[in-house]
Amino acid sequence: MLMMFGLAALGILIVGGYIGWVATRPATGEEQKAVCALVIDRTSSFQDPTVEERRRSMASAAVEGCRERNARLLMFYFDQASQKLVVLEDEEGEPAFDLWLPTGHKSQVQQRQLDETLERARSVVDVAMKQTPGDARGSDIVSAVRTAAKNLNDRARADGVDERFLIVLTDGLQTTSDLSVQDLAEEASAVEPLLLKAEQLRLVPQLDGTFVNFLGVRTGVNPDGSQLPEFFEANVELFWQGLVERGGGSLCLYEPDATHIPMDC
């Protein structure tokens, strides 16, 4: 009997000692290092069932890449129904996703919390990819980028971090009545007048120090399904390159497809 009491007391001491050790050891975790903003184009020209799954994969890759950057992730989409960029939120109305290991005393609990955040972010991507385009207006990518850049800058300032990534999943075909890449449809078309028009309309995004990635570009098609001319796609790229540079940013990635997202320069 005494032996049983002794073993029980020893067990209590061991458990108590472990609890005390866990409670008093320094908390561990990771620190935020960056802010990411992912913008998803859901306009009609960028909805193609044959490549929709690949675009979903790129958006998910952006989530994983922002995790590697220890970033707070903001996500948005735009279509042709709403005049404004739409903020994507999880089921509880949370618009930001903290993609770094939270501070805590138990590594398994911390990792589970991070995994849950990643899963919530992936679920929000799925919601965005299900949005239909609408037809009320043209594809206003410039305004979407401008608004997303403002949100990105505001969040980075509030968080006290400098590293910023803007990821835009789009075909790059800006087609509004006042600013359209259709002005670049001739082989000899100059890009500078369209950039000047964007400046005059005060549509140049504020991108100082921001690494910008465009994914899904060079994939536009004519109404008959044929690929757009190479010279036209090259002119569109020059437009975006110029717009990003005028905003003080760096266009680090401009590709139809990528697996490692985001990229810095």
Side-chain angles (χ1 to χ4, degrees):
M1 182 68 71
L2 289 173
M3 183 177 291
M4 290 180 62
F5 279 118
L7 290 173
L10 179 60
I12 292 171
L13 286 172
I14 292 172
V15 171
Y18 175 75
I19 293 173
W21 173 73
V22 168
T24 58
R25 68 175 176 170
T28 61
E30 298 174 339
E31 294 183 355
Q32 179 186 2
K33 296 180 180 178
V35 178
C36 286
L38 172 62
V39 180
I40 301 174
D41 184 341
R42 297 306 296 158
T43 61
S44 57
S45 69
F46 199 59
Q47 296 205 23
D48 182 345
T50 63
V51 292
E52 204 68 343
E53 187 55 39
R54 182 59 210 140
R55 289 169 177 169
R56 185 191 305 272
S57 295
M58 283 194 286
S60 295
V63 174
E64 303 299 330
C66 291
R67 156 64 192 125
E68 293 177 8
R69 302 279 182 173
N70 285 18
R72 176 165 282 147
L73 173 63
L74 312 174
M75 290 188 281
F76 312 88
Y77 79 88
F78 65 98
D79 55 23
Q80 289 164 251
S82 173
Q83 288 183 328
K84 296 182 179 181
L85 188 68
V86 180
V87 178
L88 285 163
E89 302 175 341
D90 68 9
E91 292 181 349
E92 297 180 357
E94 176 56 53
F97 302 84
D98 298 349
L99 304 183
W100 63 88
L101 202 66
T103 301
H105 294 282
K106 294 184 178 181
S107 59
Q108 289 182 332
V109 173
Q110 293 164 267
Q111 186 61 53
R112 185 171 67 249
Q113 290 172 339
L114 176 57
D115 290 343
E116 289 172 353
T117 302
L118 285 165
E119 186 55 38
R120 287 191 296 109
R122 295 187 197 104
S123 296
V124 168
V125 165
D126 290 340
V127 170
M129 297 303 292
K130 293 175 183 176
Q131 301 300 319
T132 55
D135 58 4
R137 55 189 56 79
S139 179
D140 195 358
I141 306 168
V142 171
S143 291
V145 168
R146 184 171 179 271
T147 302
K150 183 182 185 306
N151 280 271
L152 180 63
N153 290 331
D154 289 346
R155 176 61 74 170
R157 280 193 294 269
D159 291 350
V161 296
D162 294 325
E163 197 167 50
R164 284 161 286 171
F165 296 91
L166 177 60
I167 307 145
V168 189
L169 190 60
T170 182
D171 57 11
L173 300 181
Q174 166 78 21
T175 56
T176 58
S177 58
D178 53 356
L179 191 73
S180 175
V181 294
Q182 290 174 351
D183 292 354
L184 308 175
E186 300 296 329
E187 193 160 3
S189 298
V191 175
E192 186 63 23
L194 194 60
L195 290 169
L196 288 174
K197 185 182 289 187
E199 288 183 342
Q200 291 165 359
L201 294 171
R202 298 182 179 179
L203 291 176
V204 177
Q206 297 301 308
L207 294 165
D208 293 336
T210 301
F211 301 122
V212 182
N213 291 194
F214 268 63
L215 286 308
V217 291
R218 305 196 201 105
T219 57
V221 295
N222 290 303
D224 63 3
S226 62
Q227 286 293 124
L228 292 170
E230 288 187 13
F231 75 82
F232 175 68
E233 291 282 21
N235 284 342
V236 172
E237 180 176 355
L238 288 174
F239 168 73
W240 288 111
Q241 178 78 46
L243 194 73
V244 169
E245 289 178 354
R246 274 169 163 74
S250 301
L251 186 59
C252 305
L253 193 64
Y254 190 92
E255 295 293 338
D257 200 349
T259 55
H260 188 65
I261 312 163
M263 294 284 290
D264 54 22
C265 298

